[in-house]
Amino acid sequence: QGGNAIDAAVAAAAALGVSDPFSAGIGGGGFMVIYLREGDRVITLDGREQAPAATTADLFQNPDSPSGEVLPFAPNRISSGLAVGVPGTPLEWAEALNRYGTLSLAEALQPAIALAEQGFEVDANFVSQVEQNQGRFAAFTSTQALYLPGGNPPAVGSRFKNLDLAKTYRLLAERGVNAFYRGEIGAAIAQTVQQPPIAAQPPFRVIPGGLTLADLDRYAVRVRPPTVTSYRGYTLYGMGLPSSGGITTGEILRILEGFELSPSDLPNAWHRVIEAERLAFADRNAYLGDPEYVDVPLAGLQSDGFIQTRHALIG
């Protein structure tokens, strides 16, 4: 319709929220790395989820464990109100369109609204994803009704509709993101987190969370500078903190730049790639975090001297 890449990205992301809800959706968050041809510059948007104000360090401790053990990751932790962060996706879409797009949010959401209302043909991958999560989905009445009609996953080749999501998208299109962060959608999110719609006999204990409408109201998308890495004559841009992606990838590439990666010696080349990844991910786990809350030694991690120490560890 004459739009640009930003318009297309938002429209595609909204459609994926319908057809691939296991990986995408307005209940989550994300990052955007954007190249602006005019001015030849790269900017990034931070629209990741944020922890509610009530979050504490012992959030996932098992209340039934006298020894203070943490809840199992799946299904208990990830299927509870405790695990829900403040979603950033709707505001990120709106900010990206307002700043760099040509379509309105209402226009960009129309294809996804039609897809949710008219449905799409279920494939084997969609069924497999439902089956993998069947035990978790069965714990919640609304999720069960959508993904387990009659108690079973939808059949391959059937048509899957999500009328509630279509209604949510319509509210966003008609009233803007305030409907999500300050209106009835936000109120419904907070209520669901605090009072999950638990089935009569859930297969595991579901624990409520503390997210409130005030948490949603406080949320803001941040514009951040990208990471910039030089590698064998190329310049690579990525997402910076609180994402670990650009920094970790940059460390891997800078370690590898000190080696000759020859296609005539693939075992050695792959050995060096894997070791560089292993070391960079160890540093990621040890040092990286949200710079608003964690003192990240970024200058040191990106210094030539530190990269040389990592390079020297690869035999």
Side-chain angles (χ1 to χ4, degrees), residues 166-229:
K167 178 184 176 183
T168 303
Y169 279 163
R170 281 199 181 280
L171 283 171
L172 277 175
E174 293 167 2
R175 303 181 193 175
V177 290
N178 272 345
F180 191 96
Y181 290 95
R182 298 180 177 91
E184 59 187 279
I185 301 172
I189 291 171
Q191 181 181 5
T192 302
V193 169
Q194 296 171 28
Q195 299 174 323
I198 304 170
Q201 294 182 316
F204 56 90
R205 180 182 174 188
V206 177
I207 302 174
L211 184 145
T212 67
L213 192 54
D215 290 315
L216 287 151
D217 181 50
R218 280 192 296 265
Y219 186 85
V221 168
R222 288 161 172 77
V223 181
R224 301 190 187 275
T227 62
V228 185
T229 305

Side-chain angles (χ1 to χ4, degrees), residues 88-153:
T89 293
L91 190 57
E92 184 179 36
W93 289 351
E95 284 287 332
L97 292 172
N98 288 340
R99 290 171 180 266
Y100 312 112
T102 67
L103 300 179
S104 67
L105 180 62
E107 290 171 318
L109 288 175
Q110 292 310 310
I113 291 171
L115 186 64
E117 288 180 338
Q118 298 166 17
F120 60 92
E121 187 175 318
V122 170
D123 63 9
N125 182 61
F126 190 92
V127 174
S128 173
Q129 295 269 32
V130 175
E131 289 173 343
Q132 289 174 38
N133 290 284
Q134 190 163 352
R136 298 173 58 207
F137 288 177
F140 305 96
T141 54
S142 49
T143 315
Q144 193 179 66
L146 180 62
Y147 292 107
L148 300 170
N152 297 303

Side-chain angles (χ1 to χ4, degrees), residues 52-74:
T55 302
T56 59
D58 59 357
L59 180 70
F60 293 120
Q61 281 189 334
N62 188 343
D64 298 325
S65 171
S67 58
E69 294 178 348
V70 296
L71 292 162
F73 179 75

Side-chain angles (χ1 to χ4, degrees), residues 5-6 33-43 100 237:
I6 306 302
V33 181
I34 300 169
Y35 171 69
L36 301 172
R37 185 172 59 183
E38 185 178 339
D40 187 31
R41 62 194 181 101
V42 176
I43 60 97
Y100 312 112
Y237 297 89

